[in-house]
Amino acid sequence: MAGQTTSGAHNTMMDAALNQSTIVALGGGGFSMSESGTSAIDDYLLELATTVRDKRSTEAHHRRGGRGASVLPRVCFVPTASGDNPDYIHRFEAAFDGRAETHVLSLFGQSPWGYQDPKMLQDMELIYVGGGSTANLLTLWRDHGVDDIMALAASRGTILAGISAGANCWFEASSTDSFGPLAPLSDGLGLIPGSACPHYHGEPGRAETFRRWIEAGQLPGPGLAIDDHAAVVFENFRATSVIAEKSEAHAYIVDERGETRLDRDVT
């Protein structure tokens, strides 16, 4: 795969993340598809992040002989796929204001956030990756070493989440419009085996092309297809639950035999 690191250290960190990680892949939804900025899926992500934060605070205080304190979880938005679009960043900050200690990883050095050392991700309870170009995201992450840092953060309990391109990136491969027309992309991080398709029934051509590429072997199966306003939760790289903030939103396993809808919880 072009541009992909093959070092032993890289593989070790990826393996560690696989054995420890919690990853939430959104097909679409969250604050970025909410007119009000409110989202049941985002509420769920904050619950996960708060649990991680409380656990870390308690462990730290126990080491010092004190009691754990409840504080806001640290949430970092990673808008690389959108070119660090300022409007997108402001929407994130507004949606999580007062509910989290918000941070932004700007690889483009956007003002007023400026360039941040990606190692800051290791201090987060939740890393939330925005949508946009999956191909550009992967290229820039590898150039800046973000891929390895993401895996290391996951191995230490940080929740990884993302929408659209931010969901695609965790898989081996995906359906993307990074090059204009929909196309298969077999250059993902590989934290989750198989391939992904966001916006499954939300954008024209997504469902048909994804099923065709899986059947033809152009994308590795089984594939995971996720509708807008649905998300799949992975624990230790296994899909353990599907959550949705709208009744019509679902997730599907797609293989050469067709698609199978997964059970889900409506939040």
PDB file of all heavy atoms in Angstrom, residues 134 164 168 173-178 182-185 195-198 205-207 209-210 213 219:
ATOM      1  N   THR A 134     -11.068  10.701   2.652  1.00  0.00           N
ATOM      2  CA  THR A 134     -10.358   9.613   3.328  1.00  0.00           C
ATOM      3  C   THR A 134      -8.917   9.513   2.839  1.00  0.00           C
ATOM      4  O   THR A 134      -7.983   9.323   3.629  1.00  0.00           O
ATOM      5  CB  THR A 134     -11.075   8.274   3.080  1.00  0.00           C
ATOM      6  OG1 THR A 134     -12.447   8.383   3.470  1.00  0.00           O
ATOM      7  CG2 THR A 134     -10.429   7.148   3.866  1.00  0.00           C
ATOM      8  N   SER A 164     -17.951   9.132   8.598  1.00  0.00           N
ATOM      9  CA  SER A 164     -17.660   9.086   7.168  1.00  0.00           C
ATOM     10  C   SER A 164     -16.181   8.761   6.941  1.00  0.00           C
ATOM     11  O   SER A 164     -15.750   7.657   7.243  1.00  0.00           O
ATOM     12  CB  SER A 164     -18.079  10.409   6.510  1.00  0.00           C
ATOM     13  OG  SER A 164     -18.035  10.317   5.110  1.00  0.00           O
ATOM     14  N   ASN A 168     -14.173   5.417   7.883  1.00  0.00           N
ATOM     15  CA  ASN A 168     -13.428   4.627   6.892  1.00  0.00           C
ATOM     16  C   ASN A 168     -12.003   4.328   7.332  1.00  0.00           C
ATOM     17  O   ASN A 168     -11.468   3.243   7.105  1.00  0.00           O
ATOM     18  CB  ASN A 168     -13.362   5.379   5.559  1.00  0.00           C
ATOM     19  CG  ASN A 168     -14.604   5.240   4.716  1.00  0.00           C
ATOM     20  OD1 ASN A 168     -15.452   4.402   4.981  1.00  0.00           O
ATOM     21  ND2 ASN A 168     -14.719   6.084   3.701  1.00  0.00           N
ATOM     22  N   ALA A 173      -9.987  -1.174   4.238  1.00  0.00           N
ATOM     23  CA  ALA A 173     -10.369  -0.595   2.958  1.00  0.00           C
ATOM     24  C   ALA A 173     -11.739   0.054   3.099  1.00  0.00           C
ATOM     25  O   ALA A 173     -12.428  -0.128   4.109  1.00  0.00           O
ATOM     26  CB  ALA A 173     -10.393  -1.672   1.869  1.00  0.00           C
ATOM     27  N   SER A 174     -12.143   0.792   2.063  1.00  0.00           N
ATOM     28  CA  SER A 174     -13.408   1.511   2.173  1.00  0.00           C
ATOM     29  C   SER A 174     -13.913   1.969   0.814  1.00  0.00           C
ATOM     30  O   SER A 174     -13.186   1.960  -0.181  1.00  0.00           O
ATOM     31  CB  SER A 174     -13.251   2.728   3.088  1.00  0.00           C
ATOM     32  OG  SER A 174     -12.290   3.626   2.550  1.00  0.00           O
ATOM     33  N   SER A 175     -15.171   2.410   0.816  1.00  0.00           N
ATOM     34  CA  SER A 175     -15.773   3.107  -0.317  1.00  0.00           C
ATOM     35  C   SER A 175     -15.605   4.599  -0.076  1.00  0.00           C
ATOM     36  O   SER A 175     -15.968   5.111   0.984  1.00  0.00           O
ATOM     37  CB  SER A 175     -17.264   2.748  -0.417  1.00  0.00           C
ATOM     38  OG  SER A 175     -17.943   3.643  -1.281  1.00  0.00           O
ATOM     39  N   THR A 176     -15.050   5.309  -1.061  1.00  0.00           N
ATOM     40  CA  THR A 176     -14.760   6.729  -0.853  1.00  0.00           C
ATOM     41  C   THR A 176     -15.060   7.547  -2.098  1.00  0.00           C
ATOM     42  O   THR A 176     -15.008   7.037  -3.222  1.00  0.00           O
ATOM     43  CB  THR A 176     -13.272   6.915  -0.475  1.00  0.00           C
ATOM     44  OG1 THR A 176     -13.022   8.308  -0.229  1.00  0.00           O
ATOM     45  CG2 THR A 176     -12.351   6.442  -1.586  1.00  0.00           C
ATOM     46  N   ASP A 177     -15.361   8.828  -1.878  1.00  0.00           N
ATOM     47  CA  ASP A 177     -15.474   9.774  -2.992  1.00  0.00           C
ATOM     48  C   ASP A 177     -14.291  10.737  -2.984  1.00  0.00           C
ATOM     49  O   ASP A 177     -14.369  11.853  -3.503  1.00  0.00           O
ATOM     50  CB  ASP A 177     -16.798  10.532  -2.929  1.00  0.00           C
ATOM     51  CG  ASP A 177     -17.000  11.285  -1.613  1.00  0.00           C
ATOM     52  OD1 ASP A 177     -16.074  11.295  -0.767  1.00  0.00           O
ATOM     53  OD2 ASP A 177     -18.089  11.866  -1.426  1.00  0.00           O
ATOM     54  N   SER A 178     -13.173  10.292  -2.409  1.00  0.00           N
ATOM     55  CA  SER A 178     -11.977  11.133  -2.322  1.00  0.00           C
ATOM     56  C   SER A 178     -11.460  11.568  -3.685  1.00  0.00           C
ATOM     57  O   SER A 178     -10.773  12.597  -3.800  1.00  0.00           O
ATOM     58  CB  SER A 178     -10.852  10.379  -1.598  1.00  0.00           C
ATOM     59  OG  SER A 178     -11.193  10.082  -0.269  1.00  0.00           O
ATOM     60  N   LEU A 182     -17.378   7.697  -6.736  1.00  0.00           N
ATOM     61  CA  LEU A 182     -17.144   6.660  -5.740  1.00  0.00           C
ATOM     62  C   LEU A 182     -16.140   5.639  -6.267  1.00  0.00           C
ATOM     63  O   LEU A 182     -16.186   5.239  -7.431  1.00  0.00           O
ATOM     64  CB  LEU A 182     -18.451   5.954  -5.399  1.00  0.00           C
ATOM     65  CG  LEU A 182     -19.453   6.759  -4.564  1.00  0.00           C
ATOM     66  CD1 LEU A 182     -20.785   6.026  -4.477  1.00  0.00           C
ATOM     67  CD2 LEU A 182     -18.895   7.028  -3.173  1.00  0.00           C
ATOM     68  N   ALA A 183     -15.221   5.241  -5.393  1.00  0.00           N
ATOM     69  CA  ALA A 183     -14.180   4.299  -5.793  1.00  0.00           C
ATOM     70  C   ALA A 183     -13.743   3.489  -4.581  1.00  0.00           C
ATOM     71  O   ALA A 183     -13.853   3.944  -3.438  1.00  0.00           O
ATOM     72  CB  ALA A 183     -12.978   5.052  -6.368  1.00  0.00           C
ATOM     73  N   PRO A 184     -13.238   2.267  -4.811  1.00  0.00           N
ATOM     74  CA  PRO A 184     -12.699   1.486  -3.697  1.00  0.00           C
ATOM     75  C   PRO A 184     -11.321   1.996  -3.303  1.00  0.00           C
ATOM     76  O   PRO A 184     -10.513   2.369  -4.161  1.00  0.00           O
ATOM     77  CB  PRO A 184     -12.627   0.067  -4.269  1.00  0.00           C
ATOM     78  CG  PRO A 184     -12.514   0.249  -5.746  1.00  0.00           C
ATOM     79  CD  PRO A 184     -13.232   1.523  -6.079  1.00  0.00           C
ATOM     80  N   LEU A 185     -11.050   2.033  -2.008  1.00  0.00           N
ATOM     81  CA  LEU A 185      -9.756   2.479  -1.488  1.00  0.00           C
ATOM     82  C   LEU A 185      -9.231   1.404  -0.549  1.00  0.00           C
ATOM     83  O   LEU A 185      -9.833   1.128   0.483  1.00  0.00           O
ATOM     84  CB  LEU A 185      -9.915   3.799  -0.733  1.00  0.00           C
ATOM     85  CG  LEU A 185      -8.648   4.373  -0.083  1.00  0.00           C
ATOM     86  CD1 LEU A 185      -7.649   4.808  -1.151  1.00  0.00           C
ATOM     87  CD2 LEU A 185      -8.989   5.542   0.822  1.00  0.00           C
ATOM     88  N   SER A 195     -13.804  -4.047   5.101  1.00  0.00           N
ATOM     89  CA  SER A 195     -13.990  -2.741   4.481  1.00  0.00           C
ATOM     90  C   SER A 195     -15.254  -2.072   5.003  1.00  0.00           C
ATOM     91  O   SER A 195     -16.126  -2.720   5.578  1.00  0.00           O
ATOM     92  CB  SER A 195     -14.052  -2.880   2.956  1.00  0.00           C
ATOM     93  OG  SER A 195     -15.003  -3.862   2.589  1.00  0.00           O
ATOM     94  N   ALA A 196     -15.340  -0.757   4.770  1.00  0.00           N
ATOM     95  CA  ALA A 196     -16.448   0.042   5.297  1.00  0.00           C
ATOM     96  C   ALA A 196     -17.080   0.885   4.202  1.00  0.00           C
ATOM     97  O   ALA A 196     -16.411   1.292   3.247  1.00  0.00           O
ATOM     98  CB  ALA A 196     -15.960   0.947   6.420  1.00  0.00           C
ATOM     99  N   CYS A 197     -18.357   1.156   4.392  1.00  0.00           N
ATOM    100  CA  CYS A 197     -19.071   2.081   3.510  1.00  0.00           C
ATOM    101  C   CYS A 197     -19.984   2.958   4.363  1.00  0.00           C
ATOM    102  O   CYS A 197     -20.974   2.480   4.918  1.00  0.00           O
ATOM    103  CB  CYS A 197     -19.903   1.322   2.483  1.00  0.00           C
ATOM    104  SG  CYS A 197     -20.872   2.409   1.391  1.00  0.00           S
ATOM    105  N   PRO A 198     -19.670   4.252   4.498  1.00  0.00           N
ATOM    106  CA  PRO A 198     -20.570   5.161   5.209  1.00  0.00           C
ATOM    107  C   PRO A 198     -21.707   5.629   4.300  1.00  0.00           C
ATOM    108  O   PRO A 198     -21.697   5.352   3.093  1.00  0.00           O
ATOM    109  CB  PRO A 198     -19.637   6.320   5.576  1.00  0.00           C
ATOM    110  CG  PRO A 198     -18.650   6.359   4.443  1.00  0.00           C
ATOM    111  CD  PRO A 198     -18.450   4.922   4.023  1.00  0.00           C
ATOM    112  N   GLY A 205     -25.814   5.676  -5.132  1.00  0.00           N
ATOM    113  CA  GLY A 205     -24.746   4.809  -5.619  1.00  0.00           C
ATOM    114  C   GLY A 205     -23.953   4.110  -4.541  1.00  0.00           C
ATOM    115  O   GLY A 205     -23.206   3.162  -4.836  1.00  0.00           O
ATOM    116  N   ARG A 206     -24.063   4.536  -3.297  1.00  0.00           N
ATOM    117  CA  ARG A 206     -23.246   3.944  -2.228  1.00  0.00           C
ATOM    118  C   ARG A 206     -23.536   2.446  -2.069  1.00  0.00           C
ATOM    119  O   ARG A 206     -22.615   1.625  -2.052  1.00  0.00           O
ATOM    120  CB  ARG A 206     -23.508   4.660  -0.906  1.00  0.00           C
ATOM    121  CG  ARG A 206     -22.897   6.034  -0.807  1.00  0.00           C
ATOM    122  CD  ARG A 206     -21.441   5.978  -0.387  1.00  0.00           C
ATOM    123  NE  ARG A 206     -20.889   7.310  -0.149  1.00  0.00           N
ATOM    124  CZ  ARG A 206     -19.659   7.527   0.252  1.00  0.00           C
ATOM    125  NH1 ARG A 206     -18.836   6.528   0.478  1.00  0.00           N
ATOM    126  NH2 ARG A 206     -19.205   8.763   0.431  1.00  0.00           N
ATOM    127  N   ALA A 207     -24.806   2.097  -1.913  1.00  0.00           N
ATOM    128  CA  ALA A 207     -25.156   0.701  -1.638  1.00  0.00           C
ATOM    129  C   ALA A 207     -24.802  -0.203  -2.818  1.00  0.00           C
ATOM    130  O   ALA A 207     -24.199  -1.271  -2.639  1.00  0.00           O
ATOM    131  CB  ALA A 207     -26.645   0.592  -1.305  1.00  0.00           C
ATOM    132  N   THR A 209     -22.670   0.182  -5.431  1.00  0.00           N
ATOM    133  CA  THR A 209     -21.244   0.007  -5.734  1.00  0.00           C
ATOM    134  C   THR A 209     -20.542  -0.795  -4.650  1.00  0.00           C
ATOM    135  O   THR A 209     -19.685  -1.629  -4.957  1.00  0.00           O
ATOM    136  CB  THR A 209     -20.546   1.370  -5.890  1.00  0.00           C
ATOM    137  OG1 THR A 209     -20.767   2.166  -4.714  1.00  0.00           O
ATOM    138  CG2 THR A 209     -21.059   2.105  -7.112  1.00  0.00           C
ATOM    139  N   PHE A 210     -20.903  -0.586  -3.384  1.00  0.00           N
ATOM    140  CA  PHE A 210     -20.247  -1.316  -2.302  1.00  0.00           C
ATOM    141  C   PHE A 210     -20.518  -2.807  -2.418  1.00  0.00           C
ATOM    142  O   PHE A 210     -19.604  -3.636  -2.306  1.00  0.00           O
ATOM    143  CB  PHE A 210     -20.726  -0.785  -0.944  1.00  0.00           C
ATOM    144  CG  PHE A 210     -19.935  -1.312   0.221  1.00  0.00           C
ATOM    145  CD1 PHE A 210     -18.559  -1.119   0.311  1.00  0.00           C
ATOM    146  CD2 PHE A 210     -20.563  -1.989   1.256  1.00  0.00           C
ATOM    147  CE1 PHE A 210     -17.829  -1.595   1.390  1.00  0.00           C
ATOM    148  CE2 PHE A 210     -19.853  -2.461   2.346  1.00  0.00           C
ATOM    149  CZ  PHE A 210     -18.476  -2.262   2.415  1.00  0.00           C
ATOM    150  N   TRP A 213     -18.449  -4.189  -5.364  1.00  0.00           N
ATOM    151  CA  TRP A 213     -17.015  -4.311  -5.096  1.00  0.00           C
ATOM    152  C   TRP A 213     -16.714  -5.466  -4.140  1.00  0.00           C
ATOM    153  O   TRP A 213     -15.700  -6.145  -4.288  1.00  0.00           O
ATOM    154  CB  TRP A 213     -16.479  -3.005  -4.533  1.00  0.00           C
ATOM    155  CG  TRP A 213     -16.522  -1.867  -5.514  1.00  0.00           C
ATOM    156  CD1 TRP A 213     -16.431  -1.962  -6.881  1.00  0.00           C
ATOM    157  CD2 TRP A 213     -16.681  -0.488  -5.225  1.00  0.00           C
ATOM    158  NE1 TRP A 213     -16.516  -0.719  -7.457  1.00  0.00           N
ATOM    159  CE2 TRP A 213     -16.677   0.218  -6.475  1.00  0.00           C
ATOM    160  CE3 TRP A 213     -16.839   0.245  -4.049  1.00  0.00           C
ATOM    161  CZ2 TRP A 213     -16.814   1.609  -6.544  1.00  0.00           C
ATOM    162  CZ3 TRP A 213     -16.970   1.624  -4.121  1.00  0.00           C
ATOM    163  CH2 TRP A 213     -16.956   2.290  -5.351  1.00  0.00           C
ATOM    164  N   LEU A 219     -12.984  -5.033  -2.918  1.00  0.00           N
ATOM    165  CA  LEU A 219     -12.852  -4.652  -1.521  1.00  0.00           C
ATOM    166  C   LEU A 219     -12.917  -5.917  -0.679  1.00  0.00           C
ATOM    167  O   LEU A 219     -13.687  -6.841  -1.003  1.00  0.00           O
ATOM    168  CB  LEU A 219     -13.970  -3.689  -1.094  1.00  0.00           C
ATOM    169  CG  LEU A 219     -13.859  -2.235  -1.562  1.00  0.00           C
ATOM    170  CD1 LEU A 219     -15.091  -1.443  -1.135  1.00  0.00           C
ATOM    171  CD2 LEU A 219     -12.590  -1.571  -1.019  1.00  0.00           C
TER     172      LEU A 219
END
